[in-house]
Amino acid sequence: MDVKYPKTRAHIFEAVRALSTSPDTIQTRLIDATKSLLAVTIEEFADDLELTIRFNRLLDMIAVDHGDVEAVAVETAAYMSDAQASIIADLICDFLYEIA
């Protein structure tokens, strides 16, 4: 069976794993998941405009400033409410479903 977007799928799966297997706060788990998300390159699914837009929106929610995305994502997640972080965690899981 040919898997579509294998690299992206592996990185998103690692993000989901970080979100689901740690006893840490949801914010800390989101910070850990962000490291895997930032390894995803848009070019892998550039032929699918909808996935590109959804992924860009997800990144915008994690790091609104596009300078040093990883540093901004860590800072942003650290100050999110549990509800905000849970929404982003849900979107990450949904994205894995979309590319599976």
Side-chain angles (χ1 to χ4, degrees), residues 16-56:
V16 170
R17 180 178 285 162
L19 289 167
S20 64
T21 60
S22 172
D24 293 330
T25 66
I26 186 68
Q27 291 84 358
T28 301
R29 289 182 281 158
L30 187 57
I31 290 167
D32 291 342
T34 299
K35 295 171 187 169
S36 295
L37 287 176
L38 295 178
V40 173
T41 60
I42 297 291
E43 290 80 24
E44 188 166 348
F45 48 85
D47 61 328
D48 189 328
L49 182 60
E50 184 176 338
L51 283 180
T52 302
I53 291 169
R54 289 180 80 165
F55 188 72
N56 279 326

